[in-house]
């Protein structure tokens, strides 16, 4: 999958290009992440990419011209990487507090794209005429205020890359589909057996895989009910999970 990120701070993206699972995906060429700096598309000596807002008010606004040339360059690069460069296959996405809040379901939908061109704002925002001319969708991380769109862009790319096929190894993706979606995670334990006077739940040492799976699922249910009643309300168990829930309810009655 191809990602072009348009940002005045391209160095920030080393965070996902050089570390962890996303870094490995880049090394293995399953993913391409190119950073395009709008400053490279300015024509004045000061390489201006921002100006005072018309109508007055605090802060600066990012100018349309350098960003439009950066987007055109990104489209050319995307097509050179084999992307069908249209809204349906390689959308221009603007990370913005005014956008749709990112969710795991929209992340999964986005894994279908050939690529995406991600626009990162700074200052007070971007000239509206650039947005109306080029942007296909706006995405927010949620209702809190950050200093720019770069971290949100990295969060978006990280979550999409993680859901691409052949990225997370077989076991992980299998776990992904069965019990994880919709419930909080269960507790995890590893060596040493004792820590701060606390041992590990016996069932995890039993080697009895069915009991271990049941215990983990019951922990997920318990934690989701306790910490995220909203998720629990929305949770729709599979046939398999419904059976286990019935068994858990019966066990509780004893
Ligand atoms: O670029 C981002 N933020 C930088 C930023 C912060 C503040 C302002 C100015 N807003 C003034 C205002 N808002 C409402 C009324 N008046 C503009 C841009 C960003 C991208 S996705 C995302 N998701 C969650 N939070 C975020 O900040 C972001």
């Amino acid at each position: 999958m191809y990602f072009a990120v348009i940002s005045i701070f391209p160095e920030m993206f080393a965070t996902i290009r050089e570390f962890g699972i996303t870094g490995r995906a880049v090394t293995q060429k399953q993913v391409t992440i190119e950073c395009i700096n709008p400053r490279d598309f300015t024509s004045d000596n000061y390489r201006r990419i921002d100006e005072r807002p018309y109508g007055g008010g605090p802060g600066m606004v990012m100018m349309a011209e350098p960003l439009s040339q950066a987007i055109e360059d990104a489209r050319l690069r995307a097509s050179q990487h084999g992307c069908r460069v249209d809204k349906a296959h390689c959308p221009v996405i603007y990370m913005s507090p005014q956008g749709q809040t990112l969710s795991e379901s929209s992340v999964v939908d986005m894994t279908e794209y050939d690529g995406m061109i991600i626009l990162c704002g700074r200052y007070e925002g971007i000239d509206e005429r650039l947005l109306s001319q080029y942007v296909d969708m706006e995405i927010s991380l949620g209702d809190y205020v950050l200093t720019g769109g770069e971290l949100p862009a990295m969060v978006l790319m990280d979550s999409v890359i993680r859901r691409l096929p052949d990225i997370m190894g077989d076991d992980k993706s299998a776990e992904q589909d069965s019990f994880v979606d919709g419930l909080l995670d269960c507790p995890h334990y590893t060596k040493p057996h004792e820590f701060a006077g606390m041992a590990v739940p016996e069932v995890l040492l039993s080697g009895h895989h069915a009991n271990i799976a049941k215990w983990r699922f019951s922990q997920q249910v318990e934690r989701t009910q306790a910490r995220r009643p909203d998720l629990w309300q929305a949770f729709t168990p599979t046939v398999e999970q419904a059976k286990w829930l019935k068994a858990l309810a019966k066990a509780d009655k004893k």
Side-chain angles (χ1 to χ4, degrees), residues 175 179-180 182-189 201 204 214-233 235 245 248 252:
E175 178 205 328
F179 291 138
V180 170
L183 291 176
L184 297 183
D185 204 356
C186 62
H188 300 284
Y189 300 83
L204 297 180
K214 273 198 199 83
W215 179 83
R216 285 176 169 161
F217 180 66
S218 71
Q219 290 292 309
Q220 286 184 269
V221 169
E222 215 175 283
R223 290 176 133 194
T224 308
Q225 289 172 334
R227 301 183 191 188
R228 290 293 303 276
D230 59 312
L231 281 184
W232 180 245
Q233 279 307 318
F235 178 58
L245 283 171
L248 283 176
D252 284 351

Side-chain angles (χ1 to χ4, degrees), residues 92-96 117 119-121 125-126 131 135 137-139:
V92 175
I93 298 174
Y94 173 42
M95 304 311 294
S96 149
I117 296 168
L119 197 46
C120 303
I126 293 177
L131 303 181
V135 169
M137 79 174 76
E138 296 191 17
I139 294 179

Side-chain angles (χ1 to χ4, degrees), residues 94-99 119-125 139-153:
Y94 173 42
M95 304 311 294
S96 149
Q98 281 70 40
L119 197 46
C120 303
R122 282 269 154 176
Y123 311 108
E124 289 309 302
I139 294 179
S140 167
L141 290 193
D143 296 333
Y144 42 88
V145 185
L146 304 170
T147 56
E150 282 79 9
L151 286 173

